[in-house]
Amino acid sequence: MPAIQQFTVTPNLPEPLQPLLQIANNIWWSWNIEAINLLRRVDSELWDTHHGNPIAVLGSLSSERVAKLVKDRAFLAHLERVKGDLDRYLNLTSWFESEHPENNQSLISYFSMEFGLHESLPLYSGGLGILAGDHLKSASDLGLPLIGVGLAYQTGYFNQYLNHDGWQMEEYTVNDFYNMSMQLEKDDDGNDVTIEVHYPGRTVTAKIWRVQVGRNPLFLLDTNLQMNRTEDRELTSKLYGGDTEMRIRQEILLGIGGLRALIKLDLEPSMCHLNEGHSAFLALERINLLMKNRGLSYETAFEMVRATNVFTTHTPVPAGNDRFQPELMQTYLASKANDLGISMDELMALGRENPDNKNETFCMTVLALRLSRNANGVSELHGHVSRDMWKNLWPGVPTEEVPIAHVTNGIHTRSWLCSEIARLYDRYLGPRWHEEPTNKTIWDRVELIPDAELWRSHERMRERLVGFIRGRMHKQALKRGSHRATIEAASEVLDPEALTIGFARRFATYKRAAMILRDPARLSQILNDPERPVQLIFAGKAHPMDQPGKELIRQLVHLAEEEGFRHRIVFVEDYNIEVARYMVQGVDMWLNTPRRPLEASGTSGMKVPPNGGINLSIPDGWWCEGYEPGNGWTIGGGETFEDEVYQDEVESTALYDLLENEIVPIFYDRSSDDVPREWTRIMKNSMRTVNAEFNTNRMVEEYTQRFYVPALENAERLEADNYKKAAELSQWRASTLKKWPQLKVNCVDSAPLAAHPMGTQLPVKAAIDLGGIPVEDVLVEVYHGLVNAAGNIVDGETDTLFATDETHEGAVVFSGKIACRRAGRRGYTVRVMPRKSGFPLGHFEAGVVSWWQDTESRSCTPVAEREAKATTKN
């Protein structure tokens, strides 16, 4: 190959059109309808050709078109309005500035393996990335000082197409970052800013791309540099591609390299949010940098990092968490253990459920949990699942108290809302609906929208969806080289007036896309009713290695080609944000049939209600919280079955029953003006109940109040006076844990355990041998609740026992009372945990808890006192 000198050509616009570049280089345009209309107006043909990529459009404009735009006064006025809107948005006093002015100078970093912002930036695969993108957009809306960190994938996730047999094939399109809404970070001399990450025997260099998301930057690392080896240039080639070794190399780059990039840009974060465990190595790097740059001990740095990390898990099954063999960890992380001054066994223990099991693999989720003070699942049900999954990390802690909370996911409403419905909201809800999307009283005003007006708007969006699908199907048939008849038929699929049901998500088997296809004969009768037709639109990708998922797609496509289903079932290839947007805006109903409880949250169904669609779902993930009678339908009662075949039979039958007996009849029950009044009532209920709660503004506000602000306060507190408090905390922990084995609950005493009327209180005493631990460094609680048939406490509650001046055989006596609030057979026990006054530690953060073990009838009351009481009684 000859030597090649590279240079960059950028769009060259005259002064009146320069604001177009400012708008196009800020992803804010993707959720502003007027901005989208403006950018499409630049050249609608180029807009469609470049799939809504404004930078590519501006870089492809002819000089003739530029000259016309400069002379187009209406266009220039439109440009001025949109530029004014962007300036106002960027300079408006934000929610965060108003609510937390003391934290305005802090920096929150948000690490994610993928970000889904728009189809013109294909750096995502599915729900995790879409959520991360919506998280950044709402962080911008709310004014959080938040920075995103990820990887710039040269080919991203794959493009999907089907062969003649309906089998999924993958192809990869190279992303041209120089023609996307992203820019390289430069230093003061105009050179690319780069960082280095060390791998065995070599150093890998990465440059840094910036994507501006409203007020907030997203930084993406790119190793596709000539100075790197071929295998290292491929580090940022594919998302979720390659083997386990490629995965650990990518996760080192994301966590360690991502943190170094922020520091290189003089943006060292005050706290870090780990969106899934992929970036958990950043915790080790944070410790390393605190030791290296601030002179802290490993233990002190550990406390500092754990207090300022937040971790969100999205995975409801153990197999979905990244695990690495000890040999692989030794190869890639031995040098990091050396940097930290700990042994490789100690580092491995951080990622093992059982730290003493040297044969156990290293789990990124375990590392993230051990090094994050706050952790959460992504729905209420997923919180329960996660606590049960990871309870072994907190031995002795009741499952319901395992310190994994939940913050239910949401969507960035304006990114998914169609213009038709947005205009209705402006007219009947007022402009505050997009400024205050969590305000329930505003969403109650959807009742003011006339049924006919809502219905006609929705019908137009369904017609638009059908037109879009026909175009996609036509292109699919052409690309596949189908017969002319097939190509022509593709332009006639679907009925723009029929009840339209959408199903679009990753084609993993647990999501059960084929559940509605289980009884083809019964389904055919539902779909082909001449008076009340129904149609199904499917879309989604199977992972390249998921053969059962690919087979599911093949079976679906073959069924769709049969005579009874042709034109009533379609599968849309290459599911992406654009396809999703058309579907959620145009379908009447969104179908979701996961095998409970394997749907951690699911956000696709949340995107439908803002557009007037209705959910039909298994009660799993977010729908357990979102469903209420009258705002959609739930399939079954949330039962779980050991026999999966029987479960599929029961739930598919329930699905058919709902369609035949409720959903289809209600949809086609029309008034004299051809409006389905009962259906529009359900549409409005869905809008009213779902929109206010299941949006990322509410979600990010919740993360801020519950996790971000406390973490920022922890950072300020612990780093004060040259990290004096952090050092004090680490010394306290070491001392307490060393003495803890000597602590013992000697005895527990209470009033006679006869029947106690509701409303009374049961006094309890416990004598604790503290083993040399100061009394102020322990929290003593009585744990009580209903007793089940096995003799175990269920749904336990706690009340604090306080130290008294009494002692019993050298042990400190603690006392308190149990409030008898509920009737029934109840029980109690006593437990002790470490606590550090003045430090907001979680109940079980120290990792130890001691329970009362001796249930023999030992009394904490001194013998002389008992004898005196007995004498008085007699």
Side-chain angles (χ1 to χ4, degrees):
M1 286 286 292
I4 297 174
Q5 182 66 47
Q6 299 183 13
F7 62 98
T8 304
V9 178
T10 59
N12 184 20
L13 299 178
E15 185 63 31
L17 301 183
Q18 279 294 312
L20 283 172
L21 284 172
Q22 296 171 265
I23 295 167
N25 276 308
N26 192 322
I27 297 298
W28 166 86
W29 63 260
S30 71
W31 70 87
N32 185 284
I33 292 172
E34 275 303 302
I36 294 171
N37 291 338
L38 171 74
L39 294 169
R40 177 183 288 277
R41 189 174 173 180
V42 170
D43 191 309
S44 59
E45 289 186 11
L46 285 176
W47 181 264
D48 293 337
T49 299
H50 293 292
H51 307 290
N53 178 349
I55 297 296
V57 170
L58 296 177
S60 304
L61 285 177
S62 66
S63 57
E64 292 80 8
R65 182 58 183 161
V66 170
K68 286 183 180 180
L69 291 174
V70 170
K71 296 176 182 179
D72 188 337
R73 293 184 179 180
F75 177 83
L76 294 177
H78 192 180
L79 173 58
E80 186 178 356
R81 286 198 307 273
V82 173
K83 178 59 168 60
D85 289 343
L86 174 58
D87 290 340
R88 279 188 293 275
Y89 175 85
L90 296 176
N91 295 301
L92 189 71
T93 300
S94 70
W95 170 84
F96 188 85
E97 289 174 314
S98 299
E99 292 289 318
H100 302 285
E102 70 283 2
N103 297 124
N104 280 335
Q105 301 306 311
S106 303
L107 285 177
I108 302 164
S109 61
Y110 181 85
F111 285 70
S112 183
M113 196 74 165
E114 52 175 303
F115 287 88
L117 294 162
H118 188 261
E119 61 267 24
S120 63
L121 287 169
L123 306 170
Y124 61 93
S125 73
L128 180 72
I130 301 300
L131 176 79
D134 282 6
H135 192 114
L136 291 191
K137 293 172 184 178
S138 282
S140 172
D141 289 345
L142 295 168
L144 269 70
L146 184 143
I147 304 166
V149 182
L151 302 181
Y153 301 102
Q154 197 70 61
T155 58
Y157 206 46
F158 65 90
N159 298 116
Q160 175 199 57
Y161 70 96
L162 306 183
N163 65 17
H164 284 282
D165 189 40
W167 189 258
Q168 173 183 292
M169 308 295 289
E170 297 88 31
E171 60 183 2
Y172 293 86
T173 303
V174 176
N175 288 322
D176 181 2
F177 297 146
Y178 293 92
N179 277 308
M180 293 180 172
S181 296
M182 50 199 296
Q183 297 175 308
L184 279 171
E185 284 294 295
K186 303 283 186 178
D187 61 22
D188 293 339
D189 296 323
N191 300 314
D192 294 347
V193 177
T194 61
I195 56 100
E196 293 181 344
V197 178
H198 303 290
Y199 290 90
R202 65 197 187 278
T203 296
V204 176
T205 302
K207 56 187 175 183
I208 307 168
W209 293 92
R210 172 196 284 255
V211 179
Q212 193 64 33
V213 186
R215 295 179 170 98
N216 302 65
L218 164 62
F219 296 109
L220 304 170
L221 301 185
D222 179 5
T223 62
N224 186 24
L225 299 173
Q226 291 183 347
M227 66 184 69
N228 291 329
R229 296 182 184 180
T230 300
E231 62 267 30
D232 294 328
R233 296 180 70 170
E234 292 176 353
L235 268 174
T236 54
S237 175
K238 295 178 183 179
L239 171 60
Y240 304 137
D243 56 13
T244 305
E245 186 166 4
M246 173 60 81
R247 179 62 67 89
I248 195 172
R249 290 166 58 208
Q250 285 185 325
E251 296 186 355
I252 288 170
L253 178 65
L254 174 63
I256 296 177
L259 185 65
R260 290 179 181 177
L262 293 183
I263 293 172
K264 186 71 175 283
L265 295 169
D266 198 23
L267 296 170
E268 183 170 0
S270 308
M271 61 147 294
C272 297
H273 184 171
L274 292 65
N275 189 41
E276 258 303 350
H278 306 120
S279 60
F281 289 135
L282 76 84
L284 302 181
E285 180 67 1
R286 291 187 75 196
I287 294 173
N288 175 40
L289 293 176
L290 284 170
M291 295 172 66
K292 180 179 177 181
N293 299 334
R294 311 293 167 82
L296 303 187
S297 68
Y298 169 79
E299 293 77 14
T300 300
F302 190 99
E303 295 292 348
M304 186 71 201
V305 170
R306 174 160 47 188
T308 54
N309 274 353
V310 173
F311 170 57
T312 298
T313 174
H314 295 258
T315 310
V317 290
N321 297 275
D322 283 345
R323 292 179 180 272
F324 300 119
Q325 292 295 329
E327 298 78 16
L328 200 59
M329 288 291 294
Q330 175 69 36
T331 299
Y332 283 95
L333 272 300
S335 61
K336 185 58 62 181
N338 186 58
D339 291 342
L340 299 174
I342 60 176
S343 69
M344 195 61 203
D345 284 342
E346 289 175 295
L347 190 149
M348 289 294 296
L350 293 173
R352 287 171 168 159
E353 293 185 59
N354 179 0
D356 298 324
N357 181 2
K358 296 189 177 182
N359 295 317
E360 186 181 332
T361 55
F362 185 94
C363 179
M364 296 296 280
T365 300
V366 173
L367 175 64
L369 288 168
R370 291 198 193 281
L371 277 162
S372 300
R373 174 163 293 171
N374 291 299
N376 68 280
V378 289
S379 70
E380 184 176 7
L381 178 59
H382 183 235
H384 290 293
V385 171
S386 299
R387 286 189 286 275
D388 186 62
M389 189 187 309
W390 301 111
K391 60 188 177 187
N392 292 338
L393 294 180
W394 291 273
V397 176
T399 301
E400 66 271 16
E401 290 191 277
V402 166
I404 302 177
H406 81 273
V407 177
T408 302
N409 285 344
I411 62 159
H412 187 254
T413 305
R414 295 183 69 188
S415 292
W416 301 99
L417 186 65
C418 65
S419 57
E420 286 274 351
I421 301 298
R423 282 193 289 269
L424 290 182
Y425 289 161
D426 286 340
R427 189 177 307 141
Y428 293 101
L429 278 60
R432 288 172 56 207
W433 70 267
H434 56 78
E435 298 168 3
E436 302 176 46
T438 62
N439 190 327
K440 292 181 173 61
T441 60
I442 292 176
W443 290 109
D444 286 341
R445 293 175 63 86
V446 297
E447 300 294 343
L448 300 177
I449 303 174
D451 291 352
E453 202 169 341
L454 175 61
W455 182 245
R456 302 302 176 218
S457 293
H458 179 66
E459 283 192 309
R460 285 190 288 273
M461 297 312 298
R462 190 193 314 116
E463 291 170 3
R464 178 172 171 264
L465 169 63
V466 170
F468 172 76
I469 297 297
R470 287 174 174 175
R472 294 278 293 207
M473 299 298 290
H474 182 79
K475 291 177 183 177
Q476 289 175 199
L478 282 173
K479 184 175 180 179
R480 205 177 296 138
S482 302
H483 298 298
R484 179 194 289 181
T486 302
I487 295 172
E488 292 175 352
S491 299
E492 299 176 357
V493 298
L494 303 179
D495 178 349
E497 296 184 356
L499 171 58
T500 303
I501 300 174
F503 181 103
R505 52 187 42 80
R506 183 163 54 91
F507 263 68
T509 52
Y510 79 87
K511 292 180 181 285
R512 297 191 297 177
M515 197 177 90
I516 195 172
L517 313 176
R518 187 175 178 82
D519 187 341
R522 190 173 179 184
L523 177 61
S524 180
Q525 290 180 336
I526 294 171
L527 300 185
N528 293 300
D529 186 325
E531 301 297 324
R532 303 186 306 187
V534 180
Q535 55 199 10
L536 301 172
I537 302 174
F538 288 91
K541 299 176 179 179
H543 187 277
M545 304 300 291
D546 184 2
Q547 302 305 313
K550 291 184 176 184
E551 176 60 26
L552 197 58
I553 293 174
R554 192 188 71 85
Q555 292 175 6
L556 191 158
V557 171
H558 277 252
L559 182 68
E561 292 173 348
E562 294 182 9
E563 185 61 35
F565 299 101
R566 197 173 299 141
H567 299 309
R568 290 281 182 242
I569 299 178
V570 298
F571 180 86
V572 184
E573 295 179 15
D574 204 25
Y575 184 50
N576 64 5
I577 289 178
E578 180 187 27
V579 175
R581 193 167 52 246
Y582 273 94
M583 288 185 67
V584 300
Q585 291 176 359
V587 297
D588 300 296
M589 174 159 283
W590 197 256
L591 178 64
N592 187 34
T593 52
R595 193 179 303 284
R596 178 185 165 105
L598 301 183
E599 184 83 59
S601 174
T603 58
S604 59
M606 300 176 187
K607 301 175 177 79
V608 177
N611 293 291
I614 297 169
N615 277 278
L616 168 62
S617 176
I618 295 290
D620 196 9
W622 80 278
W623 192 234
C624 297
E625 302 161 62
Y627 170 73
E628 60 182 59
N631 76 344
W633 282 272
T634 182
I635 305 166
E639 303 90 352
T640 55
F641 301 80
E642 292 186 8
D643 186 338
E644 291 184 354
V645 175
Y646 177 66
Q647 179 180 5
D648 292 347
E649 179 67 30
V650 169
E651 293 178 342
S652 63
T653 299
L655 171 57
Y656 293 136
D657 288 344
L658 282 172
L659 287 169
E660 292 169 338
N661 301 322
E662 295 187 42
I663 294 168
V664 176
I666 290 175
F667 182 85
Y668 283 104
D669 181 16
R670 307 296 172 92
S671 59
S672 58
D673 56 357
D674 199 33
V675 175
R677 300 291 174 178
E678 177 62 13
W679 189 269
T680 54
R681 184 188 68 82
I682 299 171
M683 289 171 67
K684 290 181 180 180
N685 284 341
S686 179
M687 291 174 164
R688 180 177 52 80
T689 57
V690 172
N691 292 1
E693 186 66 26
F694 298 96
N695 63 76
T696 42
N697 279 45
R698 184 274 310 158
M699 182 190 81
V700 173
E701 283 184 18
E702 193 171 343
Y703 274 116
T704 300
Q705 306 289 33
R706 294 175 58 187
F707 300 150
Y708 292 172
V709 169
L712 295 175
E713 292 172 347
N714 288 340
E716 184 177 2
R717 179 186 300 109
L718 294 178
E719 69 185 15
D721 297 328
N722 197 27
Y723 298 89
K724 179 180 178 181
K725 289 291 185 181
E728 181 183 335
L729 183 58
S730 69
Q731 293 163 7
W732 167 84
R733 187 188 300 273
S735 173
T736 301
L737 293 182
K738 182 177 181 180
K739 297 175 182 176
W740 197 260
Q742 281 70 54
L743 183 145
K744 184 181 180 183
V745 182
N746 284 348
C747 59
V748 174
D749 207 358
S750 68
L753 296 177
H756 287 264
M758 286 177 60
T760 62
Q761 293 183 319
L762 176 69
V764 176
K765 285 185 177 182
I768 315 292
D769 181 350
L770 296 177
I773 298 174
V775 67
E776 64 271 15
D777 283 354
V778 297
L779 173 65
V780 181
E781 293 180 331
V782 56
Y783 180 82
H784 57 94
L786 292 171
V787 176
N788 63 15
N792 298 318
I793 294 174
V794 293
D795 298 327
E797 304 174 58
T798 60
D799 286 295
T800 302
L801 302 184
F802 298 95
T804 69
D805 293 333
E806 293 181 49
T807 59
H808 177 72
E809 299 177 0
V812 178
V813 174
F814 291 74
S815 69
K817 296 179 180 180
I818 297 172
C820 300
R821 290 186 287 266
R822 294 174 59 190
R825 186 63 176 169
R826 304 183 69 83
Y828 75 87
T829 186
V830 170
R831 68 187 185 190
V832 189
M833 294 157 290
R835 72 171 172 187
K836 175 67 172 166
S837 179
F839 291 81
L841 298 179
H843 254 29
F844 307 106
E845 187 174 327
V848 290
V849 55
S850 293
W851 294 83
W852 176 36
Q853 300 293 333
D854 185 0
T855 57
E856 296 178 6
S857 55
R858 296 177 61 198
S859 174
C860 295
T861 306
V863 175
E865 185 178 334
R866 293 202 307 272
E867 290 176 349
K869 288 183 178 180
T871 302
T872 302
K873 184 176 180 180
N874 292 331

